Amino acid sequence: GGGNYCTEVIEKSSQEYNMKEFNARIVAVADTDPEAHGIVLARKIGLITLNDYHDLYDPKYNIHLITILTPDKHVQDDILKTKPSDIRVLSYQAFELFWKSVAFEARKLRQRNEEVETILNGIQDFIVVINPDLEIIEVNDAFLKKMSYKPEQVIGNKCHKIFYNIDYKCAIENRICPLNEVIRNKRPHQIIRTRTKDNGERRYVEVKTFPVWEKSGKISKFVEISRDITKEKLEEAEITRRLELMVEERTMQLQESHNKLLHQDKMASLGKLSASVVHEINNPIAGILNFSMLIKKMIQEDSVKKNKDDHQPDEQIIQYLDLMETETRRISRIVSNLLAFSRQSKIELQQLSINLLIEKTLLLNSNLFKLNRIKVETKLDPSLPSIVGAGDQLQQVLMNFVSNAAEALSAVNGGLISIETKHDRKNKQIVVRIKDSGPGIPKEDFSKLFEPFYTTKKEGKGVGLGLSVVYGIIEEHGGAICVNSKVGKGSTFKIILPLEYSLTQQSKNGGASGQC
């Protein structure tokens, strides 16, 4: 039969004729009408055309199956009676059932393909399907339009030829091949590529590659989805630039505010220092002035001559002069503390014996101890090695601690001061402990002891610079100070000093509080 069914079968199967794996080839078409559509098409593509179907039995045609494409039952019956036994027959009814089923499935598949194709072509991202031989087998419209290609220019070409216009694999040029990465890691791969157009414009493309697996575990194809993210990259860069600018501006503002605060703090400290110094120095100066005026007045009134038999005025003048000397020394001590606090005093390094400095300090304060009923006990290590340091400064440190202890004990009508020295051979340093049985220091005041201008002394006794000066000196010597005190049970100050003076020692040991 050379009717419509014949035409459909030839059209749908003729494209497979040249495929090696296609073995069930159509050999001939028979119909009594030489102008039937199937006969004309068969003759056109080079198939055998016959007027009598009985000629199909000829062994020279090597026919294995006759398919009846006419509903004429007489033809079917005749073929069944006359055909050789080695030729099989597919009846019209069986063929029609099979062909309609195939056509139905083909329509569904075609409809599904059209839907998928519509979806793919509606996506603005580039979609490229590549087989394991690196050949492009499918692309969407967005790719063709953006890359200015026609389908026939892309389909069947190698991916590296289309993407980079090279005739060899990307790996040869040390480019990362997404397909190789998918095979190696057995999972989808993502990469951002930078491409420069002919006009020099740089574009950023995000490439995602997904494998399609066969049941056998092999990859049947790769689906590569590319998206131009240049706009997002530029926006991200602009946001980053703005954030950096904002951070820079904010940093400058904070720096400016910090500088202002530092200036204000310096001015406040200067004002506080000035007020304290003026107050502390004014009192002894006023005393000296009053005594000077009083002595002057006494001399002007010639009271000395009038009472030359009475030695009381001479003794009174001497007493006034002693008081003037005491007040002058107090002014000198205040100025010395200020000079030391400002670190303007000259440092002279020398070999020192801490034991000798302690003995000298105790000797200078012996009269003070007697007046205030203070007992002193010492336990000085006779094998204590000498250290390298600034003698005047360390003498000032010891003087401050001993004087403070004496003043604390004078408030409770006497007590005990014990001083101990020890050589710490393991850490190559010496330790000095100064302990008193005075009223003690509240724990909440520990953190403020070494702050400038902080003092627990009565008004006129100090400006709160003594321990600040001590802290600075010990810190500069690379040492440390510890304090331990309980209210009502006295206080203990521990001084730790390295055997050798070093300006870098401070950073190594953490400063005056690092070892405590």
Side-chain angles (χ1 to χ4, degrees):
N4 292 333
Y5 275 150
C6 178
T7 304
E8 291 179 14
V9 171
I10 292 174
E11 288 177 346
K12 286 181 170 54
S13 60
S14 61
Q15 59 184 343
E16 307 292 342
Y17 282 4
N18 295 323
M19 296 181 65
K20 293 179 180 180
E21 62 270 19
F22 192 81
N23 297 319
R25 295 182 57 188
I26 296 175
V27 176
V29 177
D31 197 286
T32 55
D33 181 5
E35 298 302 323
H37 292 298
I39 291 291
V40 174
L41 180 58
R43 191 184 301 122
K44 182 178 180 181
I45 66 173
L47 298 180
I48 300 171
T49 57
L50 303 169
N51 293 329
D52 186 352
Y53 59 80
H54 293 96
D55 295 338
L56 296 171
Y57 302 158
D58 192 332
K60 69 179 181 180
Y61 297 131
N62 195 25
I63 300 297
H64 298 287
L65 172 69
I66 295 176
T67 302
I68 302 173
L69 300 182
T70 174
D72 188 345
K73 191 175 184 302
H74 171 72
V75 173
Q76 179 176 318
D77 291 341
D78 181 62
I79 291 175
L80 291 174
K81 290 178 181 180
T82 59
K83 76 175 183 63
S85 61
D86 61 335
I87 296 179
R88 290 165 294 178
V89 177
L90 180 63
S91 67
Y92 173 80
Q93 291 79 11
F95 166 79
E96 187 175 46
L97 176 63
F98 166 76
W99 193 254
K100 286 183 177 179
S101 298
V102 170
F104 177 73
E105 292 299 325
R107 283 195 300 272
K108 289 201 303 182
L109 182 59
R110 186 166 53 251
Q111 182 179 1
R112 180 60 180 164
N113 286 342
E114 290 174 354
E115 291 175 354
V116 172
E117 187 176 349
T118 301
I119 293 172
L120 293 179
N121 288 332
I123 296 174
Q124 296 304 307
D125 294 346
F126 299 167
I127 299 177
V128 180
V129 183
I130 307 170
N131 66 18
D133 294 327
L134 306 184
E135 294 176 348
I136 297 176
I137 59 177
E138 191 63 63
V139 294
N140 68 340
D141 286 348
F143 177 86
L144 296 173
K145 183 178 180 181
K146 192 73 175 179
M147 302 297 291
S148 301
Y149 280 127
K150 294 180 180 179
E152 57 269 21
Q153 293 175 299
V154 177
I155 305 299
N157 274 307
K158 299 289 186 179
C159 56
H160 48 76
K161 177 67 175 177
I162 298 301
F163 292 151
Y164 301 108
N165 194 29
I166 56 177
D167 295 323
Y168 43 85
K169 295 181 179 180
C170 297
I172 297 178
E173 286 200 353
N174 295 323
R175 287 191 179 97
I176 295 177
C177 177
L179 308 188
N180 288 342
E181 293 298 309
V182 169
I183 295 172
R184 186 168 63 88
N185 298 315
K186 300 185 184 306
R187 62 170 182 262
H189 180 263
Q190 178 176 336
I191 190 173
I192 295 178
R193 293 193 181 279
T194 302
R195 294 173 181 167
T196 303
K197 298 177 70 175
D198 294 338
N199 60 2
E201 180 185 359
R202 178 174 291 184
R203 309 296 296 180
Y204 297 91
V205 180
E206 180 186 64
V207 181
K208 296 180 181 178
T209 306
F210 301 89
V212 179
W213 300 94
E214 293 179 346
K215 290 183 179 180
S216 62
K218 294 183 178 180
I219 295 177
S220 64
K221 58 180 69 73
F222 303 90
V223 179
E224 189 173 281
I225 302 175
S226 304
R227 185 168 64 93
D228 192 322
I229 59 171
T230 303
K231 183 178 179 181
E232 290 88 338
K233 275 285 185 182
L234 294 177
E235 290 176 351
E236 180 181 333
E238 178 62 19
I239 291 173
T240 302
R241 188 189 67 80
R242 290 180 180 178
L243 287 175
E244 290 175 349
L245 184 60
M246 291 172 63
V247 169
E248 184 178 350
E249 291 177 351
R250 185 57 178 162
T251 302
M252 291 177 63
Q253 292 175 359
L254 290 174
Q255 185 64 42
E256 185 178 348
S257 299
H258 178 67
N259 292 337
K260 288 181 179 178
L261 289 174
L262 284 178
H263 180 69
Q264 292 174 1
D265 186 56
K266 289 178 180 178
M267 295 306 294
S269 299
L270 181 60
K272 186 175 182 180
L273 175 63
S274 301
S276 301
V277 170
V278 168
H279 177 74
E280 291 298 322
I281 293 180
N282 186 59
N283 287 337
I285 287 178
I288 293 171
L289 180 62
N290 288 333
F291 290 138
S292 298
M293 293 175 65
L294 185 57
I295 293 173
K296 182 180 179 181
K297 184 178 180 181
M298 292 171 65
I299 293 173
Q300 288 176 345
E301 292 177 353
D302 200 24
S303 58
V304 177
K305 293 180 179 179
K306 291 180 180 178
N307 301 286
K308 51 184 174 180
D309 296 332
D310 185 2
H311 297 286
Q312 183 65 28
D314 293 323
E315 294 176 359
Q316 192 171 15
I317 289 175
I318 292 172
Q319 181 182 5
Y320 291 162
L321 290 173
D322 288 341
L323 290 173
M324 290 171 66
E325 180 183 0
T326 301
E327 293 301 289
T328 302
R329 291 184 182 277
R330 185 150 75 95
I331 293 173
S332 177
R333 188 169 63 252
I334 293 172
V335 173
S336 296
N337 279 339
L338 286 173
L339 181 62
F341 183 70
S342 65
R343 304 292 190 268
Q344 296 298 318
S345 56
K346 185 177 179 180
I347 298 176
E348 295 182 2
L349 301 180
Q350 55 184 322
Q351 290 283 342
L352 300 171
S353 169
I354 291 296
N355 286 346
L356 291 179
L357 289 179
I358 292 173
E359 291 172 355
K360 180 180 178 181
T361 301
L362 296 179
L363 180 62
L364 291 173
N365 287 277
S366 57
N367 190 48
L368 178 65
F369 297 152
K370 292 179 182 179
L371 292 175
N372 291 283
R373 294 187 294 278
I374 296 172
K375 183 180 179 182
V376 178
E377 291 182 354
T378 59
K379 186 179 180 182
L380 307 181
D381 186 351
S383 62
L384 194 71
S386 59
I387 67 170
V388 176
D392 292 341
Q393 290 190 357
L394 293 178
Q395 178 76 65
Q396 187 176 357
V397 169
L398 295 171
M399 184 67 75
N400 265 285
F401 279 123
V402 170
S403 297
N404 286 346
E407 289 183 14
L409 292 175
S410 67
V412 291
N413 297 319
L416 174 66
I417 297 176
S418 60
I419 302 177
E420 176 187 1
T421 60
K422 182 179 179 183
H423 180 201
D424 184 352
R425 291 177 174 81
K426 180 180 179 181
N427 296 309
K428 297 181 179 180
Q429 57 192 16
I430 64 172
V431 179
V432 180
R433 285 187 177 86
I434 301 174
K435 183 178 180 181
D436 67 68
S437 60
I441 304 168
K443 192 172 183 179
E444 58 269 18
D445 290 343
F446 282 9
S447 61
K448 298 181 287 184
L449 285 178
F450 301 101
E451 291 182 3
F453 314 120
Y454 177 78
T455 180
T456 57
K457 298 177 182 179
K458 295 180 180 180
E459 186 175 354
K461 294 293 184 178
V463 294
L465 289 175
L467 288 181
S468 296
V469 172
V470 165
Y471 182 93
I473 293 172
I474 298 300
E475 182 183 50
E476 196 171 42
H477 279 74
I481 302 174
C482 298
V483 58
N484 186 18
S485 180
K486 289 184 179 180
V487 176
K489 294 187 177 181
S491 303
T492 300
F493 285 88
K494 181 170 71 171
I495 305 169
I496 303 171
L497 288 170
L499 294 179
E500 293 187 5
Y501 179 90
S502 174
L503 292 176
T504 60
Q505 192 72 29
Q506 177 184 340
S507 60
K508 292 180 181 178
N509 292 341
S513 59
Q515 299 184 37
C516 296

